[in-house]
Amino acid sequence: MEKNELKPARVFEQFAKINQIPRPSKHEEQMIEYLKQFAAERHLETRVDETGNVIISKPATPGYENKKTVVLQSHMDMVCDKLVDVDFDFYKDAIQTYVDGDWLRAKGTTLGADDGIGVAIELAILDSDNIEHGPIECLFTRDEETGLTGAFGMKAGFMSGDYLINLDSEDEGQIFISCAGGINTTATFSFERETAPADYFFMAGSLKGLNGGHSGDDINKKRANAIKIMSRFLYAEQSKMDVRLAQWNSGKMHNAIPRDGKIIFAVPTGRKEEVKADWNQFTAAVEDEFHVTDTNMVWSLESTEAQTVLPKAVSANLIRSVQALYNGILTMCQDEALAWMVETSSNVASVQSEDNKVIVVTSQRSNVMSNLRNMANTIKACFELGGAEVVQNDGYPAWKMNPNSKLVKITVDAYKKLFNKEPKVLGIHAGLECGLFSEKYPHIDMVSFGPTLRNVHTPDECLYIPTVQMVWDHLLEILRNIPEE
């Protein structure tokens, strides 16, 4: 399949244009200007709120004027991650895409299909003059990936639709009707660096090649977490000898499972060979442990130059805290119909060393708000025991299922009509902006769906091309069947 054969052509044309525009989270200014210009060229009404969310309104096509208004929604920002050896500036450079069989990929970076493909679908509808639909509001929110800032900042009354279709889901054939809420817990270990004891030997250990993934969608896939793996080695060695940590850097995004990391530490010179032997045994055991999910681990342990280290107590407490952190699934959903779905989880996402501090970022998710608080407090208490300063953000709410949703029925019926099979109606263990929308617009009826994406939030992100046409056809069928006022 060649790029010029991608269908629907109008959607992929818009996606290609979007990928020329830098749009890191919190830096969507160029994208906002593009949307305003796009609407002006087509004489469509545009509104931009104080936060930077954009709504472009399109009137109904003839014969559909009395239908209820539908909001189509996606977020304009993207997660920016790249392979370590790729020279790329997300604030300036265009995403380079290529076709790999039935998949669309990017050259060494995240693809931006989360949620650029949703944006592209909306723009294609706005650009079309042969689609049957009632009044439409296309909502583009900003900074979804690093705090849902756009959805948080949007005030009641900005959108006026009766139905909302979120285009930020990642498995075609799955219709989502609820999502998890979330909280970020960040710990800061502060200190004054000091010189390592005399006759200590410095080593640099690294791990790369893990699959990583989305800390909500992929938390149930038993994938290795680079931070937790490094903590296991450091804790085991610390239990045998004095380990003085100098640097620990792993992970980039608060909502991703870290896929690589590096530690620099010092041990008594007389025990360096013991550490090397332990490293070899440890790495072999971890490879065996994750022989199904992470088959491309690359390890390195080398001598390195001496540098200042963390004080002994801080180094020990940091290692203990990260070793003790709960990471992964805490509970599955109790409802029998949803027993397959993760209810509550936590992910340690990044560790970053600075001159006089080490910052550890974690994220907790749950569809049950009381257990979300319980999970977040468990992580907070662990850090507090280690002497860290702990800060938690306000979090975002879960989106509760609406058992009387008319839009769900319309969406399911349209899918069955088009594809002669039942879609899966599900909840998702990831955050969607629908949770915040439901608080400010309690009357609005919502669903979420989208084409199939894999490995989002990583440089391996890819879009399954045939599903874009399916989602496009499905969406148009839904728009034709929206009821009248």
Side-chain angles (χ1 to χ4, degrees), residues 190-252:
S190 300
F191 47 83
E192 294 294 329
R193 287 185 175 272
E194 58 188 42
T195 303
D199 199 28
Y200 268 51
F201 187 81
F202 277 80
M203 295 180 173
S206 66
L207 167 62
K208 62 181 180 179
L210 304 182
N211 282 323
H214 189 289
S215 60
D217 286 346
D218 298 320
I219 200 70
N220 63 337
K221 295 181 173 63
K222 302 181 181 179
R223 294 177 180 174
N225 181 306
I227 296 172
K228 289 296 290 182
I229 288 176
M230 289 300 194
S231 74
R232 288 164 57 175
F233 177 75
L234 289 169
Y235 182 80
E237 297 306 289
Q238 182 173 274
S239 300
K240 299 167 60 177
M241 67 188 78
D242 183 26
V243 174
R244 303 299 296 274
L245 189 63
Q247 301 286 338
W248 192 350
N249 293 288
S250 181
K252 301 178 183 69

Side-chain angles (χ1 to χ4, degrees), residues 321-388:
S321 294
V322 182
Q323 168 67 37
L325 279 181
Y326 195 95
N327 191 82
I329 299 170
L330 178 69
T331 56
M332 303 296 288
C333 285
Q334 297 181 45
D335 293 339
E336 186 174 346
L338 297 174
W340 54 269
M341 189 173 77
V342 178
E343 177 200 272
T344 306
S345 72
S346 184
N347 174 65
V348 53
S350 70
V351 177
Q352 299 297 328
S353 297
E354 299 180 6
D355 287 343
N356 294 306
K357 63 180 65 173
V358 174
I359 301 171
V360 186
V361 177
T362 72
S363 64
Q364 294 75 54
R365 302 174 186 268
S366 183
N367 293 66
V368 178
M369 296 308 288
S370 60
N371 215 7
L372 174 62
R373 174 51 60 188
N374 171 50
M375 185 76 264
N377 283 344
T378 298
I379 302 301
K380 182 181 180 184
C382 182
F383 283 131
E384 288 173 335
L385 287 170

Side-chain angles (χ1 to χ4, degrees), residues 203 240-242 267-276:
M203 295 180 173
K240 299 167 60 177
M241 67 188 78
D242 183 26
V267 297
T269 300
R271 306 193 72 168
K272 66 179 181 180
E273 296 303 324
E274 180 182 351
V275 173
K276 292 177 182 178

Side-chain angles (χ1 to χ4, degrees), residues 381-435:
C382 182
F383 283 131
E384 288 173 335
L385 287 170
E389 178 185 351
V390 187
V391 175
Q392 293 179 322
N393 69 350
D394 293 333
Y396 53 88
W399 166 30
K400 296 181 180 180
M401 179 180 67
N402 175 7
N404 301 312
S405 170
K406 295 180 180 178
L407 184 56
V408 170
K409 184 178 186 309
I410 295 168
T411 304
V412 170
D413 288 347
Y415 193 89
K416 290 192 293 186
K417 175 183 176 181
L418 287 172
F419 307 117
N420 198 31
K421 60 181 179 180
E422 290 274 354
K424 295 180 179 179
V425 179
L426 306 169
I428 188 172
H429 189 64
L432 291 173
E433 292 156 297
C434 297

Side-chain angles (χ1 to χ4, degrees), residues 96-111:
Q96 302 296 314
T97 63
Y98 67 97
V99 175
D100 178 17
D102 282 337
W103 295 89
L104 187 67
R105 303 178 185 272
K107 297 179 180 178
T109 71
T110 38
L111 176 63

Side-chain angles (χ1 to χ4, degrees), residues 291-308:
H291 71 280
V292 174
T293 60
D294 292 87
T295 59
N296 297 306
M297 294 184 181
V298 179
W299 305 85
S300 174
L301 182 67
E302 301 175 331
S303 62
T304 191
E305 294 181 356
Q307 56 183 272
T308 56

